[in-house]
Amino acid sequence: MSSKSASAPERAATPRPSHGDAVALAALLALSAVVATVSGVVTVHSVETWYPTLAKPPFNPPNGLFGPVWTVLYIAMAIAAWRVWKLRGQANVKGALGLYVGQMALNFAWSLLFFGLHYIGVALIDVLALLLALAATTIAFLRMNRVAGLLMVPYLAWVSFAALLNFEIWRLN
């Protein structure tokens, strides 16, 4: 057996990152950045004017916490989706990424409904739908790539908290 054929399986077992992988990661990070930026634009005025007028529960976090938390969560979500995208030759990848896109749409819709339109009750329905879509996404990602699924867990925890906060703000107002 020649050394050339003996090393072939070794190279196949550890694929090198491709240009396409980098482009896909950049695209997923860009998607997160667009959702975060547009959500931020919708949110910023209300955080300074309307939101302070609402009755809020004692566990309402300080406004300065939201930006850093969301930044980390959006980056983690993009990396998780990228890890699943890299498995694109396997079954269920399209479905898992479809769930991901769906939860991102619900995520954006929440900012528009809550902060943009001030529809607290409708935003509550949206965040509950987001929570279900996010749970489904997290489970799908976990089944495909453990790290991808685990990267979604902090986001799932945050949205669970956000749902409770949204409920309390709706109840109090």
Side-chain angles (χ1 to χ4, degrees):
M1 180 179 257
S2 73
S3 63
K4 190 173 188 178
S5 64
S7 64
E10 187 175 308
R11 276 185 264 132
T14 55
R16 296 170 61 180
S18 72
H19 176 70
D21 288 346
V23 170
L25 178 57
L28 288 162
L29 286 167
L31 172 64
S32 286
V34 166
V35 171
T37 300
V38 176
S39 294
V41 167
V42 167
T43 300
V44 71
H45 179 70
S46 286
V47 167
E48 296 170 357
T49 58
W50 170 74
Y51 191 67
T53 68
L54 297 175
K56 292 180 260 335
F59 60 85
N60 187 66
N63 290 344
L65 182 66
F66 290 95
V69 167
W70 276 112
T71 299
V72 170
L73 293 176
Y74 278 122
I75 291 169
M77 287 188 284
I79 293 169
W82 175 70
R83 291 182 66 90
V84 171
W85 176 85
K86 287 174 55 170
L87 303 171
R88 61 196 173 277
Q90 296 181 16
N92 302 325
V93 169
K94 286 183 182 178
L97 292 176
L99 287 169
Y100 178 79
V101 170
Q103 65 82 25
M104 287 292 278
L106 288 165
N107 177 318
F108 171 73
W110 183 87
S111 297
L112 181 62
L113 292 167
F114 189 91
F115 285 108
L117 299 172
H118 307 164
Y119 293 164
I120 301 170
V122 179
L124 177 58
I125 294 166
D126 177 86
V127 77
L128 293 173
L130 170 58
L131 194 54
L132 292 174
L134 180 53
T137 304
T138 303
I139 291 166
F141 279 19
L142 272 168
R143 289 179 176 161
M144 302 188 86
N145 179 281
R146 183 170 174 79
V147 172
L150 292 175
L151 282 167
M152 297 298 284
V153 170
Y155 177 37
L156 184 60
W158 184 257
V159 171
S160 298
F161 172 76
L164 177 61
L165 181 60
N166 191 154
F167 172 77
E168 283 297 310
I169 290 172
W170 171 75
R171 188 182 66 77
L172 293 169
N173 292 278

